[in-house]
Amino acid sequence: MTDADAAPSPPGRPEPDRPEAGPGLEGIPPSELALEAPTWRRWATPERWALVLALVPAVSAVAVLGRLHPDEVYQFLEPAYARVHGYGVLAWEWKSGLRNWAVPLVLAAVLRVGSWLGLTDPWITRGLVAVPLWALQAWGLASAARLGRRRAGALGGWVTVFALGFLPVFVVFAGRTLGEALSAALLLVAADALSREERTRDSGLLGGAALGLAFVVRYGSLPAMAAGLAWVAARRRWTLLGWAAVGLGAVFLALGALDWASWGTPWHSVRAWFSFNVGSSGAAQTFGAEPPGYYWPYLWTQVPLWVWPALVLGVAWLRPRVGVAGAMAVLMLAALLWTTHKEERFLYPVVVLLVAEAGPGLAAFLEGLRATWQRVGLAAAALGLTVLSARPDRDLRGDQFRAIVKAARPAEVTGLLIVNEGLWGSGGYFYIGKHIPWLTCDWPHDPAFQIAMRDTRFNRVVTFEGRALAELQAAGFKVLGQEGRETILGR
């Protein structure tokens, strides 16, 4: 199947106009034709716009700081910091072997390079971390654009990349060091590779490796990985499936070797994770259980409304009727509904895959409209619905993290107290940026507060919404500045 017959016009509608090669240009690959085009036209492709759109969440995360979830700090950033500097707060998963070291080691390499260059300020190091995150998310967006073009022509690529790039949950999530954000980008890469008709060996190896890496960064990606392979098998593309198995197997062997070096036995973290999350009710008992309907409000608000009819149109008009991204989304959503422990962030890869699947359906409908004003109006309406869809329901506490960075930055700071926050809500040593004692507390009568007041090493305090301000001033602290809702004090 070629791009030309991948996106037929809907019944009763005219075939959309497609560019034709000029005289003497027949048989020349599009890539060579693009090189003859003016510079601005060569740059105006969905893949290159993906580079720009991926910058928005990357820059936003660095400018705002904060965290969507404690895992953003304590599953990736803090372990990476500890590997480089020899100290840090390690969550219980890192002591019981429930995680693998793949992502922290990559981030540790980035931090190590930064330390060699003297770039150790927490805000700057977070900017360094944003570079590989941006590259990964740009790769995912570019893959989504190719996926959309393959199913619905050139317009399909544009619709898909802009639908994802302007999606509020993408803007918030994609710049964050969360397994959900990393795995979603890798699943888009895998979906693009597994849907290619050409270069079977390279496509299979890349698709299988991307599925494996999505699993490595987040073991909860297993249903999507299984759906991707099943989709290839359902289309009877056995050679592609074989090469995908090779790529996937190579990643699994590397993961086994990494766990062997880290925990003493191959695939230790995989077995520990499945034992805790799947083989027992450990996750539900530790973090709570939710009913199956927990995710429905997020689906209705975070997924743009045009996605649902576009999915139906895709099934009716496009071939294959269900793309690989759609298959991944369906099986992953089914697994989330079945799992008793539920969190809003777990849904993010499903939302991304649903939008990627729906983009070509909307593009096919736009292509079938006769009048330009109809196309422009509907496209604008879809874009508006995308932008107006809901953001994640979380307080990023960006002002707190910025206050922590500013408070701990001066050389004379020897200790820090964070008031109105717990350990796992704080930024860890990564955002403090130096080896000093620090404590968190909620109220003045807490033991940690009393210890900090007596210990003269604690000469900086960050307090949220003025909590314990009178008690701090009575202990000799003076207000040094304000960062949003946070007050910075020193003595």
Side-chain angles (χ1 to χ4, degrees):
M1 182 178 66
T2 65
D3 285 350
D5 56 23
S9 291
R13 297 185 184 273
E15 178 70 18
D17 295 335
R18 300 189 183 277
E20 297 181 359
L25 299 180
E26 295 84 354
I28 300 178
S31 58
E32 295 184 16
L33 286 175
L35 293 177
E36 300 299 326
T39 302
W40 70 270
R41 294 192 62 183
R42 293 204 307 269
W43 203 90
T45 66
E47 290 87 349
R48 292 181 177 177
W49 267 95
L51 301 176
V52 177
L53 293 171
L55 272 176
V56 177
V59 172
S60 173
V62 175
V64 175
L65 298 185
R67 81 291 184 269
L68 268 172
H69 188 275
D71 280 6
E72 185 177 340
V73 175
Y74 291 101
Q75 297 306 337
F76 291 146
L77 291 177
E78 190 75 353
Y81 186 91
R83 295 287 294 195
V84 174
H85 298 282
Y87 62 91
V89 179
L90 293 182
W92 66 274
E93 295 98 325
W94 292 105
K95 299 175 183 178
S96 60
L98 208 68
R99 303 282 183 178
N100 70 73
W101 279 93
V103 175
L105 286 177
V106 172
L107 298 183
V110 175
L111 299 182
R112 179 73 69 183
V113 172
S115 66
W116 290 340
L117 299 174
L119 305 175
T120 57
D121 182 85
W123 217 324
I124 295 176
T125 55
R126 184 58 184 85
L128 294 176
V129 167
V131 175
L133 294 182
W134 163 75
L136 177 60
Q137 297 299 335
W139 191 14
L141 280 181
S143 299
R146 287 190 292 268
L147 191 65
R149 183 170 58 238
R150 193 171 292 114
R151 296 197 73 208
L155 186 58
W158 284 109
V159 169
T160 304
V161 76
F162 279 113
L164 285 172
F166 282 89
L167 190 67
V169 290
F170 174 83
V171 173
V172 174
F173 263 92
R176 300 285 166 178
T177 50
L178 282 169
E180 290 79 10
L182 305 182
S183 64
L186 289 165
L187 289 175
L188 290 174
V189 173
D192 169 43
L194 295 177
S195 64
R196 295 175 187 167
E197 299 290 339
E198 69 281 359
R199 293 179 293 143
T200 301
R201 184 187 66 179
D202 294 344
S203 299
L205 288 173
L206 175 59
L211 287 177
L213 291 173
F215 177 78
V216 168
V217 301
R218 182 173 181 265
Y219 292 151
S221 300
L222 179 63
M225 181 180 71
L229 296 175
W231 185 86
V232 175
R235 300 188 67 207
R236 300 180 181 275
R237 300 199 60 198
W238 307 118
T239 303
L240 179 68
L241 183 63
W243 285 114
V246 172
L248 180 63
V251 173
F252 274 10
L253 288 175
L255 174 60
L258 177 61
D259 269 6
W260 196 354
S262 304
W263 308 115
T265 56
W267 301 290
H268 172 87
S269 63
V270 179
R271 293 195 298 270
W273 186 90
F274 274 91
S275 175
F276 182 76
N277 289 280
V278 181
S280 70
S281 57
Q285 292 176 356
T286 304
F287 302 112
E290 300 290 346
Y294 173 84
Y295 289 117
W296 298 127
Y298 297 113
L299 277 174
W300 305 142
T301 57
Q302 294 182 359
V303 177
L305 293 178
W306 63 263
V307 166
W308 307 110
L311 290 172
V312 176
L313 294 177
V315 172
W317 291 346
L318 303 180
R319 299 296 181 271
R321 293 182 183 276
V322 177
V324 61
M328 290 178 178
V330 169
L331 194 56
M332 182 173 276
L333 179 59
L336 290 178
L337 295 176
W338 173 78
T339 305
T340 54
H341 172 56
K342 298 175 174 64
E343 294 184 31
E344 177 189 359
R345 62 190 173 109
F346 295 166
L347 195 62
Y348 172 72
V350 175
V351 174
V352 169
L353 292 169
L354 284 174
V355 174
E357 178 74 7
L362 175 61
F365 187 79
L366 291 172
E367 287 275 24
L369 296 176
R370 299 179 184 275
T372 301
W373 69 267
Q374 292 175 327
R375 297 181 183 182
V376 173
L378 182 59
L383 182 61
L385 290 173
T386 300
V387 173
L388 293 175
S389 59
R391 297 164 60 89
D393 185 23
R394 288 291 182 272
D395 180 0
L396 294 175
R397 289 289 184 100
D399 49 359
Q400 181 187 80
F401 280 42
R402 295 192 301 272
I404 290 172
V405 171
K406 292 179 179 180
R409 182 178 288 155
E412 68 270 16
V413 176
T414 55
L416 175 67
L417 176 67
I418 303 171
V419 181
N420 204 358
E421 184 58 271
L423 171 63
W424 305 119
S426 65
Y429 278 105
F430 181 90
Y431 282 101
I432 293 174
K434 59 176 68 174
H435 199 188
I436 60 174
W438 61 281
L439 294 170
T440 63
C441 67
D442 289 318
W443 302 99
H445 57 74
D446 291 345
F449 186 95
Q450 298 300 323
I451 291 172
M453 296 303 99
R454 293 191 299 266
D455 191 337
T456 57
R457 293 178 301 169
F458 287 83
N459 57 357
R460 288 295 186 277
V461 173
V462 171
T463 180
F464 180 66
E465 294 184 335
R467 174 79 60 88
L469 195 58
E471 291 83 354
L472 289 167
Q473 291 174 326
F477 284 91
K478 297 180 179 180
V479 175
L480 300 179
Q482 194 79 21
E483 181 67 36
R485 298 165 294 177
E486 305 287 337
T487 304
I488 303 172
L489 300 98
R491 67 178 178 184

